[in-house]
Amino acid sequence: MATPAKPIKRVKLILPALTEATSPYWRPIKYSLFPPLGLATLAAYLDPDWEISLQDEHVERLNLDDDPDLVIIQVYITNAYRAYRIADHYRARGAHVALGGLHVTSLPDEAAPHADTIFLGPGEDTFPKFLRELAAGKPQRIYQSSVRTLEGIPPIRRDLIQRHRYLVPNSIVVSRGCPHHCTFCYKDAFFDGGRGFYTQVVDDALAEIEKLPGRHLYFLDDHLFGNPRFARALFRGMRGMNRVFQGAATVDSILRDDLIEAAAAAGLRSLFVGFETLSSNSLQAANKCQNLGRSYRDVVRRLDRLGIMINGSFVFGLDGDDPSVFARTVDWAIELGITTATFHILTPYPGTALHAEMQKQNRIVTNNWDAYDTRHVVYRPAGLHADELKQGYDWAYEAFYRWSSIIKAASAHATPKHSLKHLAYSAGWKKFEPAWDLVIRLKQLSQMRPLLEAILSPIRLIGTNSIPVASKEPGSLHARRVWEPS
Ligand code: B12
Ligand code: SF4
């Protein structure tokens, strides 16, 4: 239905806080890491003459007493209820409210009653179309993304980001999605209706990097090595830029060829690796084929020799898991010298293949989205009681980050310098919470960036040329486990 064209003068973009913000798990530093990049991306399509404000409730109190003409809200699963309340509030004040993001895409029927317009999928094609139609007085109720490209997109409005509030203001994404299809991942649902993996033009990515001040970058791409040709050209272009950076990649891409060396030479110093489980049966069940038959030990050795710290990601509660999974995983991670670990309780996000399967089996026990934060058990596990799973998860964090474990894991490296870096990074991240809180309260996070850069600065490479590319241990392809504890 056409509505009279209301001239837009004031636009507000909001990232509502996770419900977790009021829970005992809340860690201010974790949520003062990255600015709302998705919203700053969308802001680039707005008329620069409009009055635009971008608010991130994780780092500032929202001013809800204003009267914007257009309100853009990004909805994740664990901020959904808060997002809906804010949306209702602004609709009552007469604003046109647009909701988008992962959760809206998964559950449009749930989000729609709280919005004038909802968006499914990435916004680069639909948002500018919506703005044109809104200006013409004919905004639609639903926009579904179908054109998937990052070519020719306007530069992100980084000027709207309050850099001093974040430890890592230089977060960047040079691709969208991922070439893989793990059953528990948001990716297939979010990119339904178009390409599920695409990259920027290399020169555009390099131009964006050039413009970022300081040395440190954090690539938020799901899989930075997902398109090897793109990644290689990117790393070649970054050589000599004197950057240090962090990112994420899969097990197979680290072992495949010498792309990881190219990344290290460009400044890669820490990598998020989705190990997820040490059981090949569980990998198979989760369709995590890119990890199957690969030696995790080789992955760790290879990154270690390049001086790249590892943030290992692990999921507990897969159907193959029994009560021994927690100690086995933690012992393995400590023994191999994984720098930091992120543990998750398996969570069936709506829209995923995992969710559909669990629903079919009638195993989902709650639709309270606040609990879908990978810290709560929201389904009936197969080989564990729900309490065992929760307690095992809590124990894993405690056991991995106790001082004795940090020291043991740090001593697993080839050089004392690398051990020291491990110690500084891991302890700094988990052991000085009150100090981080104070720094955040004093708005001094930017003062900590040189320290982060120093910890991430290069370690001399040891025998880089002799690093084995091979990943296949005899029989590992069909081995029951991908690893064996020594
Ligand atoms: C950075 C990040 C964080 C930061 C978030 C801070 C921030 N300021 O964004 C931190 C560290 C706090 C974090 C924490 C967690 N995260 Co997180 N995180 C990410 C990550 C790596 C990048 C997000 C990003 O910047 N993407 C790039 C931008 C360009 O894309 P975008 O944000 O999606 O925005 C685009 C579209 O969504 C759309 N859009 C979004 N909103 C709107 C609104 C409108 C109106 C329109 C038109 C369009 C639109 O347009 C944008 C441009 O295309 C994603 C993975 C990913 N690749 O997206 C995971 C991800 C979002 N996180 C996830 C999870 C599970 C978590 C945690 C629960 C994990 C945990 N146990 O701690 C917590 C809780 C957070 C939560 N929100 O629930 C899941 C979310 C699953 C889900 N269904 O919601 C993801 C997808 C990771 C994954 N592979 O599973 N995370
Ligand atoms: S590799 Fe990671 S980002 Fe890609 S589909 Fe699997 S879980 Fe998702």
Side-chain angles (χ1 to χ4, degrees), residues 51-262:
E51 197 185 300
I52 303 168
S53 90
L54 195 172
Q55 286 206 288
D56 175 0
E57 202 181 13
H58 302 95
V59 298
E60 63 191 309
R61 188 182 283 274
L62 286 187
N63 167 21
L64 296 173
D65 221 9
D66 52 352
D67 286 299
D69 305 307
L70 174 62
V71 176
I72 311 295
I73 304 179
Q74 174 154 15
V75 189
Y76 288 118
I77 192 158
T78 51
N79 75 8
Y81 299 134
R82 175 77 180 136
Y84 297 154
R85 274 201 304 277
I86 297 170
D88 295 345
H89 165 81
Y90 277 116
R91 289 185 86 201
R93 292 176 88 106
H96 187 104
V97 173
L99 298 181
L102 269 60
H103 190 66
V104 173
T105 306
S106 307
L107 295 174
D109 293 343
E110 178 189 289
H114 302 279
D116 298 290
T117 302
I118 59 168
F119 292 82
L120 314 189
E124 283 82 357
D125 57 334
T126 50
F127 190 58
K129 181 169 186 245
F130 157 73
L131 288 173
R132 285 192 301 274
E133 292 180 352
L134 181 69
K138 292 180 192 150
Q140 297 172 40
R141 285 280 293 150
I142 300 185
Y143 290 83
Q144 161 80 63
S145 148
S146 57
V147 183
R148 301 284 163 77
T149 176
L150 297 174
E151 276 182 46
I153 63 167
I156 299 175
R157 287 289 306 269
R158 290 186 184 265
D159 56 302
L160 296 171
I161 290 171
Q162 304 177 62
R163 287 180 63 87
H164 65 282
R165 292 189 185 270
Y166 301 97
L167 182 63
V168 187
N170 286 351
S171 60
I172 175 168
V173 274
V174 292
S175 63
R176 297 284 191 274
C178 170
H180 300 295
H181 306 277
C182 307
T183 59
F184 52 73
C185 185
Y186 82 104
K187 184 228 115 174
D188 282 337
F190 186 67
F191 291 95
D192 191 25
R195 283 199 292 171
F197 179 57
Y198 46 106
T199 68
Q200 276 189 8
V201 174
V202 176
D203 285 346
D204 290 353
L206 289 171
E208 192 179 340
I209 292 167
E210 282 277 13
K211 276 193 253 153
L212 294 171
R215 279 191 79 196
H216 180 246
L217 305 175
Y218 202 121
F219 287 92
L220 291 176
D221 301 71
D222 284 327
H223 183 3
L224 188 55
F225 300 177
N227 177 337
R229 198 190 300 172
F230 167 82
R232 202 173 286 281
L234 181 77
F235 299 145
R236 199 181 305 122
M238 286 180 71
R239 278 188 91 143
M241 281 190 180
N242 194 26
R243 293 290 187 175
V244 286
F245 67 92
Q246 300 174 255
T250 58
V251 160
D252 64 327
S253 68
I254 294 162
L255 295 171
R256 195 183 303 127
D257 49 25
D258 63 351
L259 188 55
I260 189 69
E261 278 79 17

Side-chain angles (χ1 to χ4, degrees), residues 17-23 25 76-85 103 110 347 349 366-378:
L18 316 175
T19 310
E20 189 186 279
T22 55
S23 97
Y25 288 111
Y76 288 118
I77 192 158
T78 51
N79 75 8
Y81 299 134
R82 175 77 180 136
Y84 297 154
R85 274 201 304 277
H103 190 66
E110 178 189 289
T347 303
Y349 289 114
T366 176
N367 284 337
N368 172 9
W369 308 133
D370 287 351
Y372 279 60
D373 59 359
T374 83
R375 296 180 178 90
H376 294 86
V377 184
V378 298

